[in-house]
Amino acid sequence: MPQLQDACRACDHTGIRHVAHTLKSSSASIGAIKLSQLCAEIETRIRTDRLENLDELVGAMTTEAEIVLQALKRLLDAKT
């Protein structure tokens, strides 16, 4: 997520796309489908130069990533 924040501050769409691409597959592999779908949408929009509402999508992705992280922490805490 720090890479995403840096890319957003710099308006670096390539950097945002890279983070979304990386997070897309890793989130899908743990069952975080909503996060994976948001990442796929961001990646596609940047690749096809459709940047309208990109900030909103990135915000939604960030929020969903935080939800997933909290769920993973709860799961790990329950197993200890």
Side-chain angles (χ1 to χ4, degrees):
M1 297 314 291
Q3 288 177 316
L4 177 64
Q5 292 169 348
D6 291 345
C8 287
R9 276 193 291 274
C11 293
D12 175 10
H13 294 136
T14 301
I16 294 169
R17 190 176 101 198
H18 174 73
V19 171
H21 175 78
T22 302
L23 194 54
K24 177 182 68 177
S25 56
S26 58
S27 59
S29 71
I30 63 167
I33 302 305
K34 183 176 179 181
L35 179 57
S36 181
Q37 290 170 337
L38 285 166
C39 292
E41 179 66 19
I42 290 167
E43 185 181 15
T44 298
R45 285 201 181 194
I46 292 173
R47 190 176 55 251
T48 59
D49 202 29
R50 294 183 351 219
L51 304 177
E52 65 279 351
N53 301 323
L54 184 63
D55 290 342
E56 291 175 24
L57 280 171
V58 170
M61 180 181 77
T62 302
T63 299
E64 189 64 21
E66 186 59 36
I67 291 168
V68 169
L69 284 172
Q70 292 304 315
L72 288 172
K73 286 177 185 177
R74 285 192 304 273
L75 180 64
L76 290 172
D77 287 345
K79 290 189 178 225
T80 57

